[in-house]
Amino acid sequence: MSGADNQTSPPDLRLAGLAVAAWLTALAGLHLGPRSLLLVAGVAAVLTTCGALHLLDRLGRPRAAARRHGWIAVAVGLGVVCAGAATAARLAIRDAPPIRALAEQRALVTAEVVVRDDPRPIRSAGRPGMLLVSSELIRLTGPDGRRLHASVRLLVLATDPAWRGLLPGQRVTTEGRLGVPRGGDLTAAVLSTNDPPERHGASSWPQRAAGTLRAGLQRACAPLPDDPGGLLPGLIVGDTSRLPPSVEEDFQATGMTHLNAVSGSNVAIVVGAVLLLARWGRAGPWLAVGLCGVALVGFVILVRPSPSVVRAATMGAIGLAALAAGRPRAALPALAAAVTVLVLVDPELAGDPGFALSVLATGGLLLLAAPWRDGLRRRGVPPGLAEALAVPAAAQVACGPVVAGISGTVSLVAVPANLLAVPAIAPATVLGVLAAMVSPIWPPGAEFLAWLASWPAWWLVVIARQGARLPGGTLPWPGGVPGALLLTVVTVALLIAVRRPLVRRLVAVVGVASVLGALPVRLVFAGWPPPGWVVVVCAVGQGDAVVLPVAPGRAVVVDAGPEPGAVDGCLRRLGVREVPLLVVSHFHADHVGGVAGVFRGRRVGAVLTPSSTDPESGRDLVRAAATAGRSALLTTVAGARHPVGGVDLLVLGPPYPLAGTRSDPNNNSLVLRATVDGVRILLPGDAEAEEQHALLARAAPGHLRADVLKVAHHGSAYQDPGFLDAVRPAVALVPVGAGNTYGHPNPSLLARLNRGGARVLRTDTDGDLAAVRAGPGLAVARRGMPPGRQS
């Protein structure tokens, strides 16, 4: 077969049905449970058997199309049966009654576990220093002394800093309180502990070697400036412990966050560098593949063989398999086979966004990059430039639906930002890997190599920073599965439309009209704070802090976030020197933990609190701050009005004390309606469905209507649809922490707000948020910087 024939032959998708069916079945099973999944697998087994018998009956007949469709049906059925059985078995182990009963009782237990991945800090957990440790349970001792032996996944939430130094594979024992997991994965229980771990022996030699090399890389990067010095370990080995929050926010806004985690692209760069050297040395195909395999194993050891790294290495090995076979078309069947095997071995991967992005990026490169590159070359684009344009565009198009489903936005700067980043990624990665490898034997040489790598890393930081500040760089999009499916349909339609000029023009017109229709509120960028602002929601992590302007340098503050530094930084950026009134919606730590930051260097006239004092620890914290700051401590009730200069505060709720709800402190939050410069702003604290329903039942028509809604409880799922319909906001601002473990904000809630015509912004992706009075209408602005990173 000639080269031309190879280029025009269709992709080999024979195993695609098997992989997709296995993937979707495992994903559904994580939410359905073992019984429903076994029923689906049984039905699929019957249908697959019938299809196979029918196919065997047709093998001797000349209808090739019918046989091909029959093989596809059998492959899909096999995928459902195999994934259903494998996932159901793992779910049955996860839901073992003894452990589930202890979790539901929130029992105090002693657990012996094996650490599965690096402990990672939860910056917005509401408790400073909290670590999330993914682990495998070995033995559990209950409060009655009874021992349970089980191999299930356990998520440890630890506060003691001794957990920070653990390596994957380390065996430890700790005492803590069990809790029920969120669901949607294979985690059997959550263990909360304040104790240090008791170590048993050491981790494996690959993990110790990886720890030595990673520590050496951090030492080599220590003399560098914060931004490139913090980015390099993340770019090379996925270590983001030193990555400044500002850089992380900028990378998220520009669709470059995949560079901060080990992925198939890292593997491809390292293996590609070895392959170039092998070809330069005139090594044969098998020797070149062998050298690349050694480099692949070494890279996995360097970045630690965690599940995400093994996944990335598997995707990188697909290219090696195709190269060794001398058949580029074998890459797609290899990808499908790899997806199937990985999902059967670990069904939890089916619900992992990182897995989806790795698979989709690899598939996009295999299916789209080469045709687009060749099309550009036929139109006169130089080969190098055509490759540089096609690769990031293909990866971004393939990953776009998943990113949109996760973030609820579509980035307009992702493709050009990733295109500009391409020349810097390979040199930064290769130089960084070399720095890590030589760090144990030649530290000065490692520092020199890290200094060389810092220049391309600096370029990446510049691209992300400038891209994040472009006006309208991201557009709102429905979140969750509906948003992902919608963008998938739009993407496929656009890919088909570009082949026909008339359809291309129609799609362009419809797309522009849809974008304009989705932006009833303008986005403005005019410095910080923006002129005419009427409310600012501060990015304080997983917590609330809202600022209402009274006069230059003076503002009303509602809630104070989880820690003092974040709210203090937000108020400094706004130039607030005096707070005539601080309102506390309720006493949970994520709303009052930072109260000392409001008082830091400012005069606070009075502190307004609800009549409910639960929890008492939060109440005591607020009282202590008010006493130290010599501020009046006031209590308010529904119907009270508190005017402060141009800010008019009306207390709408709670209409009466609520008890026996899912969370009584949340459902006794103060619900405020603030009016600033004619703009009505609703601040419902953490009010959940019960309090929202009570407000709706007692409110007069139009009483809850507001132009701006601070979304309750960080966008949780516990919202009353009728309440949202009654508010009908033009702007919805969501204070939420990045990487929180609560599933906030809820994708369905964001989608509902978008469908209602609201312009939705969130602090975990957009930083500080402001609603601005712009003539007769409203605009929104975002600062795009995380808390505490002001200049």
Side-chain angles (χ1 to χ4, degrees):
M1 185 178 288
S2 67
D5 292 334
N6 274 330
Q7 292 177 359
T8 57
S9 57
D12 189 347
L13 300 175
R14 287 174 295 178
L15 295 180
L18 175 70
V20 172
W23 189 352
L24 295 180
T25 301
L27 179 61
L30 293 173
H31 298 277
L32 289 176
R35 293 183 179 178
S36 300
L37 191 57
L38 285 176
L39 177 61
V40 171
V43 173
V46 173
L47 294 178
T48 303
T49 302
C50 295
L53 293 174
H54 185 66
L55 179 63
L56 289 173
D57 182 57
R58 288 180 171 271
L59 281 178
R61 304 182 185 183
R63 296 180 63 183
R67 290 200 302 271
R68 185 166 59 251
H69 294 155
W71 281 117
I72 293 174
V74 170
V76 170
L78 284 174
V80 174
V81 171
C82 294
T87 307
R90 298 295 294 272
L91 292 175
I93 296 173
R94 180 198 70 177
D95 298 334
I99 295 179
R100 176 64 65 170
L102 290 173
E104 291 175 349
Q105 297 166 12
R106 293 192 55 80
L108 190 65
V109 300
T110 300
E112 185 176 341
V113 302
V114 174
V115 177
R116 298 181 65 239
D117 209 343
D118 290 297
R120 59 185 181 90
I122 310 175
R123 292 174 178 167
S124 53
R127 296 177 65 185
M130 179 174 283
L131 298 168
L132 188 149
V133 188
S134 177
S135 61
E136 191 83 16
L137 179 65
I138 299 174
R139 183 168 55 246
L140 192 72
T141 303
D144 58 356
R146 186 164 60 100
R147 290 189 174 184
L148 298 173
H149 293 265
S151 180
V152 295
R153 292 184 183 174
L154 192 71
L155 192 65
V156 179
L157 299 178
T159 56
D160 194 284
W163 287 86
R164 192 179 298 273
L166 294 180
L167 296 175
Q170 179 76 58
R171 188 167 176 168
V172 301
T173 299
T174 189
E175 185 177 282
R177 193 170 295 279
L178 278 188
V180 177
R182 189 173 61 192
D185 55 24
L186 294 180
T187 302
V190 177
L191 180 71
S192 300
T193 178
N194 297 321
D195 296 340
E198 179 185 345
R199 305 190 185 202
H200 304 293
S203 60
S204 62
W205 72 264
Q207 299 289 2
R208 295 197 303 274
T212 300
L213 295 176
R214 291 162 70 96
L217 177 61
Q218 284 284 11
R219 287 193 299 270
C221 294
L224 300 174
D226 288 345
D227 289 354
L231 175 63
L232 269 176
L235 181 68
I236 297 158
V237 296
D239 182 0
T240 58
S241 58
R242 275 191 57 207
L243 183 66
S246 59
V247 177
E248 188 173 6
E249 291 281 337
D250 291 342
F251 270 62
Q252 288 177 353
T254 51
M256 297 169 61
T257 189
H258 60 91
L259 299 178
N260 296 334
V262 177
S263 66
S265 62
N266 300 74
V267 175
I269 289 169
V270 173
V271 172
V274 174
L275 183 60
L276 286 175
L277 290 174
R279 287 181 175 175
W280 178 74
R282 299 186 178 181
W286 285 103
L287 178 58
V289 169
L291 292 173
C292 290
V294 172
L296 182 62
V297 173
F299 184 70
V300 169
I301 292 176
L302 171 64
V303 298
R304 292 187 178 160
S306 62
S308 61
V309 175
V310 173
R311 179 190 68 227
T314 303
M315 297 303 156
I318 291 169
L320 285 180
L323 178 64
R327 297 175 57 195
R329 290 185 72 243
L332 274 174
L335 173 63
V339 169
T340 304
V341 171
L342 287 171
V343 167
L344 294 181
V345 171
D346 186 2
E348 188 175 283
L349 287 175
D352 182 2
F355 176 74
L357 292 174
S358 291
V359 174
L360 291 173
T362 306
L365 295 178
L366 294 175
L367 286 172
L368 301 176
W372 290 1
R373 175 201 62 202
D374 296 340
L376 290 172
R377 292 181 64 180
R378 286 194 299 270
R379 288 166 175 79
V381 178
L385 180 58
E387 187 90 24
L389 288 169
V391 169
Q396 195 63 39
V397 166
C399 297
V402 173
V403 174
I406 295 171
S407 65
T409 60
V410 174
S411 175
L412 301 182
V413 300
V415 171
N418 281 276
L419 173 61
L420 292 172
V422 166
I425 298 172
T429 302
V430 173
L431 289 169
V433 170
L434 291 176
M437 298 300 292
V438 304
S439 62
I441 56 176
W442 190 25
E447 289 187 10
F448 175 71
L449 290 169
W451 176 78
L452 290 177
S454 70
W455 289 99
W458 169 83
W459 174 242
L460 295 175
V461 171
V462 169
I463 294 169
R465 180 175 296 145
Q466 299 304 318
R469 282 147 186 74
L470 286 176
T474 58
L475 295 179
W477 193 265
V481 175
L485 293 176
L486 176 61
L487 188 56
T488 300
V489 172
V490 172
T491 301
V492 172
L494 289 174
L495 291 175
I496 296 173
V498 295
R499 299 174 179 272
R500 296 172 175 81
L502 177 59
V503 178
R504 182 167 62 239
R505 295 189 189 99
L506 289 175
V507 170
V509 171
V510 172
V512 171
S514 300
V515 169
L516 294 177
L519 289 174
V521 180
R522 292 190 295 114
L523 192 65
V524 298
F525 294 77
W528 199 260
W533 66 284
V534 294
V535 61
V536 163
V537 172
C538 300
V540 293
Q542 185 71 4
D544 272 22
V546 180
V547 186
L548 304 165
V550 175
R554 303 177 71 234
V556 171
V557 177
V558 181
D559 290 326
E563 57 93 15
V567 66
D568 178 44
C570 180
L571 294 175
R572 288 180 184 274
R573 292 191 289 272
L574 295 170
V576 175
R577 299 180 298 276
E578 181 183 349
V579 178
L581 182 65
L582 168 63
V583 184
V584 174
S585 66
H586 64 298
F587 293 107
H588 271 159
D590 57 336
H591 290 249
V592 301
V595 67
V598 180
F599 284 83
R600 189 176 294 170
R602 299 176 190 87
R603 179 182 175 275
V604 178
V607 180
L608 189 67
T609 66
S611 55
S612 171
T613 60
D614 190 23
E616 293 184 356
S617 58
R619 178 203 62 185
D620 294 342
L621 186 66
V622 171
R623 285 183 175 178
T627 301
R630 299 181 180 179
S631 303
L633 195 60
L634 310 174
T635 302
T636 191
V637 294
R641 180 168 253 113
H642 302 274
V644 183
V647 176
D648 181 45
L649 286 178
L650 174 63
V651 181
L652 301 180
Y656 51 85
L658 281 88
T661 67
R662 201 194 74 87
S663 172
D664 288 350
N666 285 346
N667 282 305
N668 284 286
S669 293
L670 289 181
V671 178
L672 308 172
R673 191 184 71 201
T675 304
V676 182
D677 196 18
V679 178
R680 298 175 76 173
I681 304 153
L682 191 66
L683 306 174
D686 275 359
E688 297 184 352
E690 294 94 336
E691 184 176 2
Q692 293 178 10
H693 183 74
L695 284 168
L696 187 63
R698 296 199 173 198
H703 196 57
L704 296 175
R705 178 78 176 88
D707 306 297
V708 180
L709 170 67
K710 192 284 301 181
V711 179
H713 199 189
H714 322 298
S716 80
Y718 302 107
Q719 312 274 345
D720 187 295
F723 177 81
L724 296 175
D725 292 341
V727 178
R728 210 165 67 253
V731 174
L733 307 177
V734 188
V736 62
N740 71 83
T741 59
Y742 310 106
H744 299 163
N746 179 262
S748 298
L749 172 66
L750 299 183
R752 184 181 185 91
L753 290 167
N754 274 308
R755 286 196 303 271
R759 175 73 166 96
V760 181
L761 284 86
R762 38 195 283 191
T763 58
D764 60 338
T765 57
D766 300 315
D768 295 345
L769 309 174
V772 180
R773 183 66 185 265
L778 276 177
V780 289
R782 57 186 175 198
R783 185 171 182 271
M785 292 288 284
R789 296 295 300 181
Q790 71 274 22
S791 56

